[in-house]
């Protein structure tokens, strides 16, 4: 949906909305906080419906649309879909339905991988939903049609990382299990295609070997967010420290505890947003659109 030409509001003071199925998007938020320290952010973790990696395209479109409607009605100047599974399944549907600019997470990582790969052999570690969508293959081939793309789905890895200790045996065994077949394809660049995986980046690097360049798309996403704000003239100009607010659909205390581990800073107050509230925002958005 395009923005009406009569809408000439100054949007720069509005926060940036970021959402994920749970905690993984906090690795994207972290890079945004480093790159854009004076911006305000509002983060929604859909922990009640985590994990997204096992959901269907239709479910992911519905969840992402509800959260985008909620954030748009809260008032944000840009939306970051900080979840690969949701981006892969729902980015076109979101762009069709909302007028707020939306940054997804697949393309920035694909671009960095293509630019970094000397041998044009690119590996992707991602959830089942992301692999099944084929979006990485499309994004990489859109930039280099002859690059080899080797995808490896990593069932449960995000769940183990989110729910346990990143150095637990469960995580180590899973990382070993998923990196072994990928290593056989001899990629020179591997994309961490799930927002949870940067938490196990040292382990991935050890198991894939020193010759493999690991791409953390979060860095590229933060850069893209900065570029969009600058080009549209909606970046915060003041020298200030931004404010952050956190919402989740599941248990608030768990979010606060696990979130502090992901973000490595206290989250402060976390508000719970009900699934019914999200659904109501979507209905209100639709009603406004058809009015
Ligand atoms: N954050 C999700 C992603 O980047 C992974 C976790 C999940 O399965 O929900 O795909």
């Amino acid at each position: 949906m395009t923005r009406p030409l009569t809408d000439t509001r100054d949007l720069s003071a509005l926060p940036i909305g970021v959402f994920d199925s749970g905690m993984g998007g906090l690795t994207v938020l972290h890079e945004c906080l480093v790159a854009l320290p004076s911006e305000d952010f509002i983060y929604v973790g859909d922990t009640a419906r985590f994990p997204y990696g096992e959901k269907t395209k239709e479910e992911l479109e519905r969840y992402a649309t509800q959260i985008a409607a909620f954030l748009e009605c809260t008032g944000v100047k840009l939306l970051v879909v900080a979840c690969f599974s949701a981006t892969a399944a729902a980015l076109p549907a979101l762009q069709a339905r909302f007028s707020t600019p939306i940054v997804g997470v697949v393309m920035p990582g694909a671009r960095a991988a293509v630019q970094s790969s000397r041998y044009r052999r690119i590996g992707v570690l991602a959830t089942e939903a992301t692999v099944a969508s084929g979006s990485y293959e499309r994004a990489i081939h859109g930039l280099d049609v002859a690059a080899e793309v080797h995808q490896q789905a990593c069932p449960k890895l995000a769940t183990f990382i989110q729910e346990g200790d990143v150095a637990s045996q469960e995580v180590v065994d899973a990382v070993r299990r998923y990196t072994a077949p990928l290593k056989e394809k001899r990629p020179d660049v591997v994309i961490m295609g799930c927002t949870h995986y940067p938490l196990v980046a040292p382990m991935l690097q050890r198991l894939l070997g020193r010759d493999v360049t690991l791409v953390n798309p979060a860095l590229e996403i933060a850069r893209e967010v900065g570029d969009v704000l600058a080009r549209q003239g909606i970046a915060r100009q003041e020298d200030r420290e931004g404010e952050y607010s956190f919402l989740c659909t599941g248990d608030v205390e768990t979010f606060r505890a696990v979130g502090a581990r992901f973000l490595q800073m206290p989250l402060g107050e976390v508000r719970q947003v009900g699934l019914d509230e999200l659904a109501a925002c979507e209905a209100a958005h639709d009603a406004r659109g058809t009015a």
Side-chain angles (χ1 to χ4, degrees):
M1 185 189 279
T2 54
R3 203 170 143 214
L5 294 172
T6 46
D7 182 359
T8 54
R9 285 172 301 152
D10 176 15
L11 304 176
S12 56
L14 290 178
I16 296 167
V18 180
F19 72 91
D20 178 43
S21 57
M23 310 295 178
L26 294 173
T27 62
V28 175
L29 180 65
H30 162 76
E31 293 302 337
C32 289
L33 301 187
V34 172
L36 307 161
S38 53
E39 297 291 343
D40 294 340
F41 290 87
I42 169 164
Y43 182 95
V44 177
D46 193 4
T47 43
R49 297 185 286 202
F50 175 85
Y52 275 13
E54 299 167 11
K55 304 291 190 301
T56 63
K57 179 175 167 55
E58 291 68 33
E59 287 170 317
L60 293 178
E61 268 189 20
R62 180 154 46 87
Y63 302 166
T65 302
Q66 290 174 349
I67 301 172
F70 171 79
L71 284 168
E72 199 176 75
C73 100
T74 306
V76 292
K77 60 183 171 185
L78 183 137
L79 273 169
V80 183
V81 188
C83 174
F84 291 92
S85 310
T87 298
L91 187 62
L94 294 178
Q95 288 170 335
R97 284 179 79 168
F98 297 94
S99 59
T100 305
I102 304 177
V103 171
V105 287
V106 171
M107 189 47 102
R111 195 180 307 116
V114 169
Q115 288 170 354
S116 316
S117 180
R118 288 182 61 186
Y119 299 96
R120 300 161 83 193
R121 305 170 67 87
I122 298 171
V124 182
L125 293 164
T127 65
E128 299 113 293
T130 302
V131 170
S133 73
S135 18
Y136 261 113
E137 218 151 27
R138 281 193 299 280
I140 292 169
H141 285 154
L143 298 162
D144 179 357
V145 76
E148 275 183 30
V149 182
H150 301 288
Q151 302 196 74
Q152 175 64 49
C154 308
K156 297 272 180 280
L157 182 55
T159 307
F160 293 150
I161 294 171
Q162 180 156 318
E163 289 177 356
D165 174 356
V166 287
S168 70
Q169 198 55 44
E170 240 170 3
V171 171
V172 179
D173 290 347
V175 171
R176 239 180 236 292
R177 194 161 58 246
Y178 300 135
T179 48
L182 188 60
K183 217 177 151 185
E184 281 174 18
K185 309 282 190 213
R186 309 199 50 200
D188 68 329
V189 169
V190 170
I191 304 173
M192 293 187 279
C194 167
T195 47
H196 286 67
Y197 301 170
L199 270 89
V200 293
M203 201 186 294
L204 287 170
Q205 190 73 70
R206 254 190 331 268
L207 291 169
L208 289 166
R210 67 193 308 179
D211 297 337
V212 170
T213 302
L214 264 187
V215 169
N216 179 359
L219 295 158
E220 315 301 324
I221 296 156
R223 197 168 296 155
E224 181 149 332
V225 170
D227 285 349
V228 175
L229 297 181
R231 288 174 200 270
Q232 296 196 11
I234 54 173
R236 280 264 191 182
Q237 300 302 336
E238 315 91 294
D239 183 16
R240 66 190 283 274
E241 193 178 330
E243 290 171 11
Y244 326 125
S245 50
F246 298 92
L247 297 101
C248 67
T249 53
D251 181 65
V252 165
E253 286 314 316
T254 309
F255 188 91
R256 201 198 317 271
V258 182
R261 177 159 66 81
F262 271 66
L263 207 52
Q264 293 180 24
M265 70 178 209
L267 301 194
E269 199 195 328
V270 177
R271 178 167 95 73
Q272 191 179 51
V273 52
L275 297 179
D276 49 349
E277 196 180 334
L278 295 182
C281 286
E282 185 192 8
H285 176 271
D286 286 353
R288 275 197 305 278
T290 51

